[in-house]
Amino acid sequence: MISPKPHRVDAERAGRWGEWIAALALQLKGYIIVAARAKNRRGEVDLIARRGQILAFIEVKTRKKLTDPAAILTSKQMTRIISGATGWATTRPWTQHYQWRYDFILITPWRWPLHLRDAWRPHNDPTLESRHKGSNVGYDRQRLK
């Protein structure tokens, strides 16, 4: 078996640490963590949290320095997260009673996590995405700054 490259192992460790910090910050804000690293054949969501009538699907990025969030998250990644959220929710009928939201959290050393609520939205139903050419997501670059 081939072992992963050291930089990849470090990146994986940093990502897990960032997700843990993000989950802790969300809990301090009153969110309940419903799932972490939710994977299915459609995609992956780092964190899924609930607060009131909101069900937030959250992408967490860990960086060594503060970076423009709009430069980090690509349209392809947003589409993967939307697909992962839809795949996860299809097996959980209770999710239909919540308002879905897609959030982004940026983790940098020695700073409180930057939580961007409602960072992007799908243009259409994610289940129709495979029949749709182009991007399925829309976001305001100013909102991510």
Side-chain angles (χ1 to χ4, degrees):
M1 183 174 155
I2 300 172
S3 61
K5 295 181 179 177
H7 72 279
R8 187 63 224 142
V9 172
D10 290 344
E12 178 70 19
R13 188 176 297 132
R16 286 186 184 268
W17 176 80
E19 289 168 8
W20 183 83
I21 293 294
L24 181 62
L26 288 168
Q27 289 172 332
L28 290 172
K29 290 180 170 184
Y31 288 84
I32 297 168
I33 304 301
V34 177
R37 292 192 158 219
K39 294 181 185 180
N40 58 62
R41 62 181 182 82
R42 294 173 132 188
E44 176 184 354
V45 181
D46 291 337
L47 293 172
I48 302 170
R50 180 177 59 82
R51 183 170 141 190
Q53 291 300 308
I54 300 290
L55 188 62
F57 298 94
I58 304 157
E59 178 68 5
V60 179
K61 293 291 185 182
T62 304
R63 295 293 184 260
K64 291 181 181 178
K65 61 182 181 176
L66 192 59
T67 309
D68 178 12
I72 296 174
L73 202 56
T74 67
S75 178
K76 185 176 179 179
Q77 289 172 318
M78 289 183 237
T79 300
R80 175 187 51 82
I81 295 161
I82 292 166
S83 295
T86 304
W88 181 85
T90 57
T91 61
R92 293 159 180 86
W94 61 268
T95 60
Q96 70 184 354
H97 302 294
Y98 289 87
Q99 179 183 349
W100 289 16
R101 190 176 75 197
Y102 297 93
D103 292 5
F104 178 79
I105 296 181
L106 178 62
I107 304 292
T108 53
W110 308 110
R111 290 182 177 264
W112 186 256
L114 175 63
H115 181 193
L116 301 172
R117 293 182 299 270
D118 202 14
W120 75 91
R121 294 181 182 185
H123 285 311
N124 55 27
D125 182 353
T127 60
L128 303 176
E129 177 188 339
S130 61
R131 291 177 245 144
H132 169 102
K133 293 283 187 199
S135 175
N136 185 32
V137 296
Y139 65 98
D140 180 359
R141 288 189 79 79
Q142 294 292 31
R143 178 181 224 113
L144 284 175
K145 288 186 177 187

